[in-house]
Amino acid sequence: MEISEHIQVVDVEGQLLARAAAEAGTDAKVPTCPDWQVRDLLRHTGMVHRWAAAFITERRTSYRLGGELPELDGDTLVEWFREGHATLVATLKTTPPDVECWAFLPAPSPLAFWARRQAHETTVHRVDAESARGGSPSPMDVAFAVDGIEELLLGFHARKRSRVRSDTPAVLRVRTTDPREERTWTVRLSDEPPVTEHGTTAPADCEVSGSAARLYLALWNRLPFPQVTGDRALASLWRERSAIVMG
């Protein structure tokens, strides 16, 4: 996906998140993140948006912790979130493509990294906000969902800090089933970080499959896997160990 496409996703998904949060109310429980209420979701995502924008605007070239979470609540907290989101979108839109700043996953450029990362960050938490509100979730584009699966498998879980490891070598297949958009990845598990390859490059001990959008959310532990065949312990291993640590 192009940088401009990711920025558009950040823009739209952030507005959907704010709307769902306002409709749910900040006291509402977040079913997809059982330890959170909507206020926790807004504080976290609003902080992350400001944290990301600061790396770009201040041209930060090394890691820094995010800021303090605000004590705001209710409508004031929703407005605080909207302000940080709008600043992030404006920053992404107006920053020169050759900007130099810190990033933590492979990407064509730091700006490409931050646009992509915040598109997926915002989308996952939009899903959280809509789960708190209830009702039908907003749709997700197939190409964007595939992009997010790739970020997880080839980005986050290619890093040394990935905890998705197995004492016994095993192969997990990830397969999307959308008409004319079927994609597969082969994830080799061992006591080292997972190694993901495009396509069917080895027999699988377990396969998780479904539409790209549902599989994306399942890999982010927001939904159960749509379909699991083979050794279900490998699907359980993913759910137990795949939580993401940023940075």
Side-chain angles (χ1 to χ4, degrees):
M1 293 178 64
E2 298 294 327
I3 292 174
S4 60
E5 294 174 299
H6 281 131
I7 296 173
Q8 179 65 16
V9 171
V10 177
D11 192 358
V12 171
E13 294 287 330
Q15 293 182 52
L16 290 172
L17 192 164
R19 186 181 310 153
E23 291 170 354
T26 54
D27 287 335
K29 296 287 188 181
V30 180
T32 49
C33 293
D35 294 335
W36 275 4
Q37 292 173 283
V38 167
R39 64 174 56 87
D40 303 302
L41 173 64
L42 288 171
R43 290 168 180 168
H44 166 80
T45 314
M47 182 276 292
V48 170
H49 284 171
R50 288 164 168 79
W51 176 75
F55 279 103
I56 301 169
T57 57
E58 298 175 16
R59 308 303 196 254
R60 296 178 179 177
T61 57
S62 60
Y63 175 75
R64 295 188 196 179
L65 292 172
E68 295 291 325
L69 298 180
E71 294 297 325
L72 304 172
D73 206 350
D75 293 343
T76 306
L77 177 59
V78 175
E79 184 57 31
W80 175 84
F81 170 83
R82 291 185 192 275
E83 290 171 358
H85 169 252
T87 297
L88 173 64
V89 172
T91 298
L92 292 170
K93 285 182 175 179
T94 58
T95 296
D98 61 351
V99 64
E100 292 295 331
C101 63
W102 179 80
F104 61 87
L105 294 179
S109 69
L111 184 61
F113 162 78
W114 282 112
R116 184 194 205 193
R117 177 79 290 279
Q118 291 309 301
H120 292 294
E121 177 82 10
T122 307
T123 297
V124 169
H125 290 314
R126 179 269 296 169
V127 171
D128 293 333
E130 290 183 343
S131 80
R133 180 200 62 195
S136 299
S138 300
M140 188 183 304
D141 179 73
V142 172
F144 178 73
V146 168
D147 182 70
I149 293 171
E150 295 245 311
E151 187 197 42
L152 269 174
L153 298 182
L154 296 165
F156 280 112
H157 289 292
R159 302 189 303 168
K160 290 183 179 180
R161 65 177 58 194
S162 174
R163 296 174 53 248
V164 181
R165 304 188 184 209
S166 172
D167 293 335
T168 302
V171 174
L172 175 67
R173 177 98 66 244
V174 178
R175 180 169 62 88
T176 65
T177 57
D178 305 88
R180 298 183 297 279
E181 294 286 348
E182 185 171 321
R183 300 283 293 274
T184 58
W185 298 265
T186 298
V187 185
R188 298 176 185 267
L189 303 176
S190 69
D191 59 0
E192 295 292 325
V195 175
T196 299
E197 302 159 343
H198 289 103
T200 305
T201 58
D205 299 293
C206 174
E207 178 176 286
V208 294
S209 59
S211 70
R214 287 188 60 85
L215 202 51
Y216 169 89
L217 292 174
L219 290 166
W220 273 107
N221 293 323
R222 263 47 186 195
L223 292 175
F225 284 114
Q227 184 172 351
V228 180
T229 55
D231 184 358
R232 301 184 71 89
L234 293 181
S236 296
L237 180 148
W238 179 276
R239 300 197 71 82
E240 293 164 4
R241 302 187 185 179
S242 64
I244 296 299
V245 178
M246 299 298 176

